[in-house]
Amino acid sequence: MIQAAIFDMDGLLVDSEPIWRQVAIEVFDTVGVALTEDFCRSTTGLGTVPFVQLAFDTFPWEGKSQTQIGDEIILMAHERIGANAHAMPGALELIQFFYERGIPLAVASASPMEIIETVLERLDIKQYFRLWHSALLEARNKPFPDVYLGAARMLGVEPSRCLAFEDSGNGLRSAVSAGMKTIAVPADYEYDDSKFDVATLKIPSLLSFDEGIFDTLSKTTP
């Protein structure tokens, strides 16, 4: 049986990925690095630290440290997400689906805790979640399994009894490596990418999840 549902946040519960990309492009422009949308999209699901490290390895710059760039991205993203972000289609309905069935809910995100809490408050869904967990509190960020294993441990549920929802390839690798059943919800531009083939199930939108899918997954192994 499914004993817990664990959600990624950015791009899955909240439409914040475009905000993160725009912020990154603006911040890197201050050191003369012209990031592209494609570069930012290819790194979806990475935490800020590995994202900045990858950008530096690809486009070395001078003038600001990697830590300073990362801090500027997080600060600006926090402000804009808190003011402008909206729930992804089907997110609120899916949260209610699990909540009404008494299945504990958790967030496992690569974002800092303060941004996770800002999103939960903005969407008015904080009361539905048993806990929220940031990969920044673990030894390794996504695509490693640490944040999902940590969330399962805090819930007191075996990873194999957890259903994880992810929109990115890096996040999906994290949940799969943790031994969870997984639902991939890729963005349209990469829906057919083979990196999502490792998911237990792939759907085009959270609106596609229904009672029939839940019943089927409840009877299958990860």
Side-chain angles (χ1 to χ4, degrees), residues 87-109:
M88 293 293 287
L92 303 183
E93 294 87 344
L94 186 58
I95 289 168
Q96 195 68 34
F97 176 94
F98 285 108
Y99 185 77
E100 290 175 352
R101 286 159 178 76
I103 296 173
L105 304 176
V107 168
S109 173

Side-chain angles (χ1 to χ4, degrees), residues 5 24 78 99 104 106 113 181 206 215:
H78 191 183
Y99 185 77
M113 285 292 279
K181 298 177 183 179
L206 293 178
D215 290 342

